[in-house]
Amino acid sequence: MKRRSLLLGAAAGLAAPAVLTPAAPALGASGPLRPGWGTVPMPRPWPGRRQNRASELTTLPAETKQVIIVGASSYTTTYATLEAYVRTWNGWHPASASLPARIGSKGFSDNHVEGVPTTPTGVYSIGPTMYGIAANPGVRFPYHRLVSGDWWNENPSSALYNTFQHGATNPGGASEALWKEVPAYTHFGVITYNMAPNVPKPVPNAGSGIFLHQFSTSAGNATAGCVSLAHGHLVDVLTWLDPALSPRIVLSPYAQLGRY
């Protein structure tokens, strides 16, 4: 249900808020990151120093050494900011500047359902395979280059609901022909909403196909539930993520981050 980003935003009279740009190098700005340690050696925290958002998270697994936080000022905005952090010997530290992102055209939801363009809140893994219409940009995850017949099954009546499938027949419902979604699916990572390991088996009608993908327009636009970024930012994030470091992605309005 991430489906091509909805063409909302500037055309609908929405003004983009200022994006925070803390003093940290962009992902990939000066060569590959050391994924476990960030971009530069990190000093010990100063006494009384304000904690960053990642350091305030309390439910991440101990083995998680990379986290992405996609946050926004409220449940209803479609404008968000993506922040990437690495866990080092002395805590969490930014691995990038904050990146402008877009979320569902109806904002965040704690109770996302199939067909409603909200982005589900929560803490999720990155799916075991990354995908894209274009060739592998150098990701550390297994990568599948999309071909004709590659679908994301979004049919709640199907036993294979919310999974990648290859076949000559549309799985039904709102299933997506992934190879046709240009430019949104040039590359994308899967956010494991309503799928393992977050749930043992996808729950029918709870929502499907939540991805981290590219803007569908050059200006950026709201989505049908996914998180979208500019192409260059997306590639930086996807190539930075390392499955050996058990990355997580947190989706939430900032005021509710304390739940996670």
Side-chain angles (χ1 to χ4, degrees):
M1 205 268 312
K2 83 280 56 257
R3 202 165 299 86
R4 61 215 74 123
S5 300
L6 300 182
L7 300 182
L8 300 176
L14 297 175
V19 176
L20 300 176
T21 54
L27 288 165
S30 56
L33 295 181
R34 296 174 61 195
W37 298 98
T39 54
V40 293
M42 295 294 181
R44 293 182 182 275
W46 302 331
R49 184 177 179 179
R50 180 186 180 276
Q51 291 185 313
N52 59 51
R53 290 190 172 104
S55 67
E56 297 169 3
L57 300 172
T58 61
T59 67
L60 296 178
E63 65 270 21
T64 291
K65 299 298 189 292
Q66 294 178 320
V67 68
I68 293 169
I69 297 175
V70 178
S73 59
S74 71
Y75 274 96
T76 57
T77 183
T78 71
Y79 290 94
T81 298
L82 184 149
E83 301 171 18
Y85 295 90
V86 292
R87 195 190 325 238
T88 74
W89 58 272
N90 67 340
W92 288 102
H93 299 279
S96 76
S98 297
L99 306 176
R102 298 299 296 274
I103 58 172
S105 64
K106 290 192 175 181
F108 280 120
S109 174
D110 295 338
N111 298 288
H112 176 71
V113 295
E114 189 69 48
V116 178
T118 55
T119 296
T121 56
V123 181
Y124 305 102
S125 298
I126 303 299
T129 301
M130 291 182 177
Y131 300 89
I133 295 168
N136 186 346
V139 303
R140 295 181 171 94
F141 281 72
Y143 186 86
H144 173 76
R145 189 168 186 179
L146 297 168
V147 298
S148 178
D150 285 346
W151 302 85
W152 199 266
N153 186 326
E154 300 187 16
N155 179 359
S157 300
S158 170
L160 299 175
Y161 178 57
N162 201 21
T163 65
F164 172 86
Q165 298 294 316
H166 178 80
T169 304
N170 185 328
S175 297
E176 286 193 276
L178 299 173
W179 73 97
K180 295 182 179 180
E181 294 293 343
V182 179
Y185 296 165
T186 301
H187 310 290
F188 69 87
V190 177
I191 297 170
T192 61
Y193 169 76
N194 197 27
M195 58 190 301
N198 285 77
V199 294
K201 183 178 180 181
V203 177
N205 289 304
S208 58
I210 303 298
F211 301 156
L212 178 62
H213 67 72
Q214 181 178 328
F215 291 149
S216 290
T217 68
S218 59
N221 41 275
T223 73
C226 290
V227 177
S228 63
L229 299 170
H231 175 264
H233 291 162
L234 177 70
V235 170
D236 285 344
V237 172
L238 294 183
T239 55
W240 171 74
L241 288 165
D242 186 348
L245 301 178
S246 191
R248 295 294 189 272
I249 183 167
V250 181
L251 309 177
S252 177
Y254 291 128
Q256 278 68 47
L257 274 176
R259 300 184 296 189
Y260 308 115

